[in-house]
Amino acid sequence: MNVGKDYPWPRPSCCPCCGGKLWGHGYTARYFSESPKPLWLKRYRCIECHAVHTLRPKTHWRRFQFPLTTIIESLRTKIVENFWIKDYPYQRQQY
């Protein structure tokens, strides 16, 4: 179920870079492998260091569209069985 911008993202207590105060900085659309539609992720901006932090599901690493479990399974299959998972393009698994 995609609740869009109404998802109750937990507000971080402080900036992970400098410990400064965070202000809401809108939303950004991100695409993940499980959904053809974008997921709206909450962003915060630090008033001290001006860094922008985007919240994301705990199951996904930064800059990856696949969940961590799929990444691990893909690597395990390639190492143990010497081929990529057939359900996903091998080019994306190599990344």
Side-chain angles (χ1 to χ4, degrees):
M1 180 173 95
N2 190 351
V3 293
K5 295 179 182 178
D6 293 329
Y7 183 81
W9 291 102
R11 183 183 183 92
S13 59
C14 63
C15 175
C17 296
C18 72
K21 184 172 171 113
L22 294 174
W23 289 83
H25 193 57
Y27 295 85
T28 183
R30 293 287 193 265
Y31 289 89
F32 293 99
S33 62
E34 300 85 18
S35 174
K37 294 183 179 182
L39 177 64
W40 288 97
L41 304 181
K42 180 66 178 153
R43 295 189 309 173
Y44 290 95
R45 185 176 185 101
C46 177
I47 62 172
E48 301 293 329
C49 69
H50 305 288
V52 176
H53 304 284
T54 304
L55 303 182
R56 69 188 75 252
K58 289 183 179 183
T59 57
H60 288 73
W61 278 348
R62 185 174 164 209
R63 298 185 178 152
F64 289 93
Q65 293 182 344
F66 282 102
L68 180 58
T69 55
T70 304
I71 293 170
I72 292 171
E73 180 61 22
S74 174
L75 291 172
R76 187 202 65 76
T77 302
K78 181 61 178 171
I79 291 168
V80 173
E81 301 173 20
N82 200 27
F83 66 86
W84 297 107
I85 296 174
K86 300 204 184 315
D87 296 339
Y88 307 111
Y90 76 90
Q91 294 93 339
R92 290 189 67 194
Q93 294 179 68
Q94 289 175 330
Y95 170 75

